[in-house]
Amino acid sequence: MAEVVKEVNALSPDEQRRLLEEEYAWLLERRRRRAEEEKRLPPLPAAERGKVVTRFAPNPDFVLHIGNARAAVLSYEYARMYEGRMILRFEDTDPRTKQPMPEAYELIREDLRWLGIRWDEEYVQSLRMEVFYDVARKLIERGGAYVDTEPPEKFREYRDSGNLARYPPRLRSPEENLELWDRMLEGHFGEGEAVLRVKTDPAHPDPSVRDWVACRIIDTSKTPHPIVGDRYIVWPTYNFAAAVDDHLMGVTHILRAREHAQNTVKQQFLYSHLGWRYPVVITFGRLKLEGMIMSKSALRRLAEERGVRLDDPRLATLRALRRRGIDPEAVRRLILDVGVKQTDASISYVNLASVNRSIVDGRARRVMAAIDPVPMLVEGLPWERKEFEVPYHPSVDLGSRRLEVPGPTATLYVSRSDARALRPGDVVRLMEAFNVEVVEVRGDRVVARFHSLSLEEARRRGAPIIQWVPASDAVPVEVHVPEGFELRVDRGLAEPAAAELKVGEVVQLVRYGFARVDAVLRGEDGRVEKLVMVYAHD
RNA sequence: GCCGCGGUAGUAUAGCCCGGCCAAGUAUGCGGGCCUUUCAAGCCCGUGACCCGGGUUCAAAUCCCGGCCGCGGCACCA
């Protein structure tokens, strides 16, 4: 075996490829087949082409993070796979404990568009209150719900002692309940004084399922809703609103995270009262980025109390990933790769980086920068002035730029980490340009002498190849590198062509890593004074 | 505590429903090599896993039972 490996390794890549194609085509074929299979999501149960309706139903209390994106991407991909429709529905029926964030509606739309998700219909639940009231009334008429005017402790007492079937409010007639319901709507009750409960199995093994609350009173004069203000005081709970809307909107398949699994059970009671058919539910686990804060409330606290921006690159929000130079396609691929298992998935950033690299590599221009720059004085250059034309990418045609080096002496900059490794007598190649021999290394300064021009010469001597920056027109650059919850800032000088970079572009700083241009700061004369970048990955 | 859902290499995932083709596939990571004006990409080789214990069976990652561990729910939150 080892010999065979040696033999194959001795061949050039072209020869290897040819051999593979000619003699072992079946191997390639098998590999191709597998690669195709892996991209696909498992089929959706009971799905008919053209009839699938999915929904993504976020609470607009914060922007989306990668965990939320899982539900969004899966809902969208399945709808697309079956040529169906996807609905975006804002679930903002709690103006008290989960106060919606007024900007979040639009920020979430932005996040979704960034992910490449297009929805066919959009609803805001706080604008559909009358719809919920109508269904509630119908439910009461059918004897499927009752108004409970007892204090919560009383209810719990009956529920937990197995006497729920004999709970007095539960025994009320639909007529009585309708009357109480109207009183609720009219404002006769204050917060906590009355709720509407759905009748379930009073002996259900899960106590939380027993006669769950469909509507409660929220005093919106104290906590107004950002969209409808204090117009309503009776508010549907999540379970009621979501269940009603899923039916009314014709949702056929619900893709929901595991924390909602119990809710399916609750909602089914409502459906059976109303004679509705419950959609197919697919439950999946949580998706988190290793070592990153994923809890919405914790993120929100950071934003509100510590003034952390919603797109701070240390966060796991979608806009933070975008700012780091992560392509939406990478997020999508990762989510599809993780699939719909019920187990939680904890993805490492390295993994996301790898997917992103494969997307971004072919279109990221290569730019040289000296991080923590150290001047290198080069003497004995056999020219007055010389230009090197350097392509922006080693194998893809992304254009090129010129680098100018004066003579017979010139000052350049190299990275400190490279300078530190230099010893007098070493020959080193300045990438894409020429070779120098180190004369002396003294503290913050390297003196070198022109050695030769050709790459072959550098190869022959096993000279290291390092990136460099001409001293004139070098562009100061600052790279923000998230490290856990810290943010390291690397400072350096980039080659003059970096002044042409546009905000949002992802480039590869040669031998350093991929980074996204976050800001281009200009002086009064329009010259670029500084480039701020955010580090993506190596 | 009660209810529910899970446990395949460091991570993620395929296989489990319909037991044998699985001495377990893939991606990423890690180690080595080739290639290459980048420590990027590409190519080759290697590394590494069926939670534990019983049972059923000619045969179990796959079925059954028990245990352990993890996660979720137990709100007038979503």
Side-chain angles (χ1 to χ4, degrees):
Chain A
M1 186 60 168
E3 277 165 37
V4 176
V5 171
K6 204 174 276 180
E7 207 176 301
V8 172
N9 280 344
L11 300 169
S12 74
D14 278 346
E15 284 171 313
Q16 286 182 20
R17 190 166 300 116
R18 192 174 41 81
L19 191 70
L20 194 62
E21 275 164 8
E22 285 170 8
E23 310 287 329
Y24 302 97
W26 59 275
L27 266 172
L28 288 172
E29 181 58 32
R30 197 177 69 179
R31 169 171 292 210
R32 215 170 292 137
R33 248 202 322 267
R34 283 201 176 135
E36 278 167 18
E37 277 167 11
E38 254 166 357
K39 285 269 158 65
R40 224 157 263 157
L41 283 170
L44 215 44
E48 249 182 276
R49 185 158 297 282
K51 296 196 174 155
V52 168
V53 180
T54 63
R55 46 73 159 180
F56 175 59
N59 179 341
D61 62 346
F62 202 66
V63 295
L64 265 28
H65 58 64
I66 194 162
N68 311 131
R70 186 174 193 182
V73 169
L74 290 174
S75 300
Y76 175 65
E77 289 298 327
Y78 271 125
R80 224 169 51 135
M81 187 167 151
Y82 289 95
E83 293 162 25
R85 284 156 38 223
M86 182 185 140
I87 293 167
L88 169 61
R89 186 174 73 216
F90 290 104
E91 304 206 320
D92 56 350
T93 59
D94 181 7
R96 186 174 46 198
T97 48
K98 287 229 171 137
Q99 265 280 346
M101 185 188 257
E103 326 79 275
Y105 297 83
E106 188 51 30
L107 295 177
I108 287 172
R109 288 186 198 106
E110 253 177 53
D111 287 341
L112 292 173
R113 281 186 219 113
W114 178 71
L115 278 173
I117 291 175
R118 273 183 244 306
W119 53 101
D120 304 281
E121 295 166 36
E122 180 180 316
Y123 302 93
V124 175
Q125 285 190 323
S126 59
L127 263 17
R128 296 168 56 76
M129 300 293 276
E130 312 296 340
V131 172
F132 303 125
Y133 294 164
D134 287 348
V135 174
R137 181 173 301 276
K138 194 160 143 203
L139 185 66
I140 296 167
E141 283 166 1
R142 292 194 175 205
Y146 60 93
V147 173
D148 180 2
T149 48
E150 299 292 338
E153 308 79 58
K154 189 76 163 264
F155 169 80
R156 255 175 244 137
E157 212 178 289
Y158 277 84
R159 181 192 65 187
D160 299 339
S161 61
N163 289 315
L164 191 55
R166 285 186 293 281
Y167 186 49
R170 197 175 205 270
L171 304 172
R172 278 200 270 260
S173 69
E175 290 71 31
E176 276 176 281
N177 281 317
L178 281 173
E179 205 166 302
L180 285 166
W181 172 247
D182 284 333
R183 299 249 298 269
M184 274 176 81
L185 291 175
E186 284 157 17
H188 284 255
F189 298 102
E191 265 185 26
E193 289 173 6
V195 294
L196 183 71
R197 291 187 182 277
V198 175
K199 281 191 200 168
T200 65
D201 175 0
H204 194 277
D206 183 344
S208 78
V209 170
R210 299 177 203 155
D211 289 11
W212 53 273
V213 172
C215 295
R216 79 294 207 190
I217 290 165
I218 294 174
D219 185 351
T220 40
S221 66
K222 278 189 241 152
T223 51
H225 189 282
I227 288 191
V228 292
D230 60 357
R231 209 177 322 158
Y232 306 101
I233 58 158
V234 175
W235 287 86
T237 59
Y238 158 77
N239 271 309
F240 187 68
V244 166
D245 272 350
D246 282 338
H247 175 260
L248 262 29
M249 295 171 186
V251 171
T252 60
H253 297 259
I254 300 172
L255 291 135
R256 66 167 40 133
R258 226 146 56 89
E259 60 260 35
H260 289 294
Q262 276 325 282
N263 293 328
T264 303
V265 178
K266 295 182 190 178
Q267 294 175 204
Q268 271 159 344
F269 283 94
L270 178 67
Y271 273 61
S272 73
H273 285 309
L274 295 167
W276 295 346
R277 204 170 113 220
Y278 204 77
V280 178
V281 179
I282 285 105
T283 311
F284 49 84
R286 284 155 74 114
L287 174 65
K288 58 178 177 187
L289 263 185
E290 216 171 76
M292 296 191 104
I293 303 168
M294 299 300 300
S295 141
K296 246 195 200 178
S297 51
L299 289 171
R300 194 172 169 170
R301 212 173 310 122
L302 277 173
E304 283 165 4
E305 291 167 19
R306 289 177 51 184
V308 175
R309 289 173 49 161
L310 301 178
D311 61 355
D312 186 289
R314 293 165 296 180
L315 303 184
T317 59
L318 291 180
R319 47 196 58 229
L321 295 176
R322 175 176 65 195
R323 197 150 165 243
R324 273 179 113 163
I326 299 296
D327 192 275
E329 178 62 17
V331 175
R332 210 185 67 91
R333 268 193 217 170
L334 202 69
I335 286 168
L336 294 183
D337 186 50
V338 168
V340 286
K341 280 224 309 196
Q342 288 221 34
T343 43
D344 293 347
S346 183
I347 305 286
S348 70
Y349 184 77
V350 177
N351 223 167
L352 175 59
S354 154
V355 176
N356 195 60
R357 194 183 295 119
S358 71
I359 292 165
V360 146
D361 184 63
R363 58 179 194 232
R365 294 198 277 180
R366 270 54 176 172
V367 172
M368 296 196 288
I371 300 298
D372 195 359
V374 170
M376 174 187 268
L377 180 71
V378 185
E379 298 167 335
L381 293 164
W383 58 67
E384 291 290 309
R385 177 180 165 277
K386 190 169 171 65
E387 270 187 355
F388 297 90
E389 176 157 358
V390 182
Y392 274 123
H393 194 286
S395 50
V396 180
D397 183 15
L398 295 180
S400 64
R401 78 285 196 185
R402 288 166 191 278
L403 283 157
E404 196 182 299
V405 181
T409 64
T411 303
L412 317 169
Y413 286 99
V414 297
S415 296
R416 182 172 304 269
S417 56
D418 287 328
R420 234 198 303 261
L422 298 178
R423 298 285 172 271
D426 286 354
V427 173
V428 52
R429 178 163 182 81
L430 300 174
M431 194 186 288
E432 308 271 6
F434 54 94
N435 314 317
V436 297
E437 183 180 340
V438 178
V439 175
E440 71 172 313
V441 183
R442 202 175 50 198
D444 273 2
R445 214 170 108 93
V446 178
V447 179
R449 171 189 319 127
F450 176 84
H451 180 275
S452 51
L453 207 52
S454 76
L455 170 65
E456 290 65 37
E457 181 66 20
R459 282 257 179 74
R460 199 156 37 237
R461 293 175 173 271
I465 298 166
I466 63 172
Q467 78 278 19
W468 56 281
V469 171
S472 58
D473 299 321
V475 181
V477 59
E478 198 174 282
V479 189
H480 295 212
V481 188
E483 285 183 328
F485 207 73
E486 300 302 307
L487 196 63
R488 194 182 81 219
V489 179
D490 283 349
R491 285 166 224 280
L493 290 169
E495 55 172 292
E500 312 293 319
L501 297 177
K502 302 273 182 292
V503 170
E505 182 172 355
V506 173
V507 299
Q508 189 200 52
L509 295 177
V510 175
R511 292 180 64 240
Y512 175 81
F514 292 87
R516 179 182 153 281
V517 180
D518 197 55
V520 179
L521 308 178
R522 292 175 189 278
E524 280 174 18
D525 55 354
R527 275 174 56 103
V528 175
E529 285 185 335
K530 190 163 77 175
L531 220 53
V532 180
M533 310 189 81
V534 181
Y535 187 76
H537 45 73
D538 58 12

